[in-house]
Amino acid sequence: MLATLCGSLPAPRRAQHVRLRGPDRSETIDDGIALWFPAPRSVTGEDVAELQVHGSRAVLAAAVEALRHMGLRLAEPGEFTRRAFFNGKLDLVQAEAIADLVQAETEAQRRQALRQLDGALGAVYRGWSARLLRALAHLEAVIDFPDEDLPPALDAEVAAEAVALATEIAAHLADNRRGERLRDGIAIAIVGPPNAGKSSLLNALAQREAAITSPVAGTTRDVIEVAVDLGGYPVILADTAGLRESADAIEQEGLRRALARAEDAALRLYVFDARHPEDVAGAAAWPGRDTLFVANKIDLAPRVALPRAALRISALTGEGLRELIVALVQRIAADYDAASALITRARHRAALEEALTALRRAACATLPELRAEDLRLAWRGLGRITGSVDVEDLLDVIFADFCIGK
Ligand code: GDP
């Protein structure tokens, strides 16, 4: 087919300058480049041809028409990646990384997707699967050959391995959802008393210092969110309604949502009016290192004494904003520049939790048969993440995220 189109078959994996002609070879379609990747050394593991043509509508239409004429069709979204998965070129975690890479909006998201595509995450899960299989094999031996001369401690060793695996998986799960947050955006809630300048700060951060990637609408009494790229990290800034007592039902709802948002956020900026340093006491509602103190309106009180940790800014004049951003980016980098592979999707988390539950049951099972059953369940849970066990039911959901041509 490629030979018909190009006049001859290019040498494998070498770009060749060609004149593309239609199936009857009478009409020239374009002057371009053809590449030929015979199976299995191709992106999908099948025979793949790549044509580089001038991208005009007319050229594309003529080329696609000629290909259709030869019985070809357009690929469905994600079809290349799906085929690569079926042919063992990628595991499911890597396939998902391709979708993430295509959708990455910030540097940190791009880096995380690339790490995942490199296979580090899949390797962790495959390592655990392999250990589970080994433990299962030992246990099967205990079950099948009770009278043989097997080391008597074998069953106890398998139980200990189940505990060890459960501990590792639990540690992997206890990552504060950093990978998922990096993928979806790290939520930073702006909280503080009314009129401290929370909305002004959100606007100042969004407009001056960062590119808005997608504004999320809300009402002033509710929570307003803006997605920004802060030093390469995807951040969702949430301005919460002023925290105050109120009899007004709508405001109470706003307050409730503000509190819930602030609770969920990865970080909080507690903004108060520099003229009222005593307001900083309100931050006590969020103890811990995830809250940064921000004294705003410093232009009105330049010499005021503030709690030592407070950053001094003026949302109005822009003073201190750069320092605030540096502090935020440093804090985020410390938490999110993980050397280790992080869980990036709820799907992986659910499967890991399933495996963990099964492993904990396996660890305290009273009979080898019951222990084996739970180990098998744990192994299946892990296998569903990388796609090494039957995942037919998952594929449509996973590949629905893809765009055409990937
Ligand atoms: P919020 O209720 O905390 O969201 O506060 P707003 O952002 O609506 O600000 C309350 C008032 O303070 C507005 O009139 C702002 O113009 C003013 N304001 C906000 N930031 C500053 C600042 O840094 N300096 C001065 N002088 N006024 C500010």
Side-chain angles (χ1 to χ4, degrees), residues 221-253:
R221 295 204 169 180
D222 202 326
V223 181
I224 298 174
E225 295 188 334
V226 185
V228 298
D229 177 338
L230 215 59
Y233 295 91
V235 162
I236 299 173
L237 285 172
D239 171 24
T240 57
L243 301 172
R244 74 188 112 179
E245 297 288 330
S246 166
D248 180 333
I250 301 176
E251 277 206 354
Q252 278 190 349
E253 176 56 18

Side-chain angles (χ1 to χ4, degrees), residues 71-142:
L72 303 187
R73 65 167 171 82
L74 287 175
E76 286 166 17
E79 188 167 354
F80 286 99
T81 314
R82 194 172 184 137
R83 288 179 179 224
F85 166 66
F86 275 120
N87 292 319
K89 290 273 170 182
L90 296 171
D91 64 27
L92 263 193
V93 175
Q94 288 171 308
E96 286 169 328
I98 291 181
D100 288 351
L101 203 51
V102 171
Q103 283 160 19
E105 285 182 338
T106 70
E107 276 296 288
Q109 287 169 319
R110 181 184 63 75
R111 284 199 302 267
Q112 168 158 287
L114 263 184
R115 263 200 307 267
Q116 187 170 327
L117 186 59
D118 284 345
L121 195 57
V124 172
Y125 301 144
R126 271 192 299 277
W128 285 335
S129 287
R131 281 167 60 189
L132 267 173
L133 267 191
R134 204 169 326 121
L136 252 175
H138 288 168
L139 211 47
E140 301 285 355
V142 174

Side-chain angles (χ1 to χ4, degrees), residues 3-61:
T4 313
L5 217 55
C6 306
S8 68
L9 201 60
R13 287 176 294 282
R14 284 192 171 272
Q16 185 167 314
H17 179 207
V18 294
R19 211 144 243 270
L20 291 176
R21 291 179 210 274
D24 60 5
R25 304 288 305 154
S26 60
E27 195 195 359
T28 304
I29 298 170
D30 195 12
D31 190 60
I33 304 281
L35 284 148
W36 164 231
F37 302 93
R41 289 176 60 193
S42 71
V43 60
T44 64
E46 302 161 308
D47 285 345
V48 170
E50 204 177 298
L51 300 174
Q52 298 176 15
V53 296
H54 294 103
S56 71
R57 259 172 223 265
V59 167
L60 279 184

Side-chain angles (χ1 to χ4, degrees), residues 193-201 239 242 296-300 313-317:
N195 283 321
K198 296 182 295 299
S199 311
S200 308
L201 176 58
D239 171 24
N296 187 34
K297 308 197 191 181
I298 203 74
D299 54 312
L300 300 178
I313 68 154
S314 166
L316 192 72
T317 67

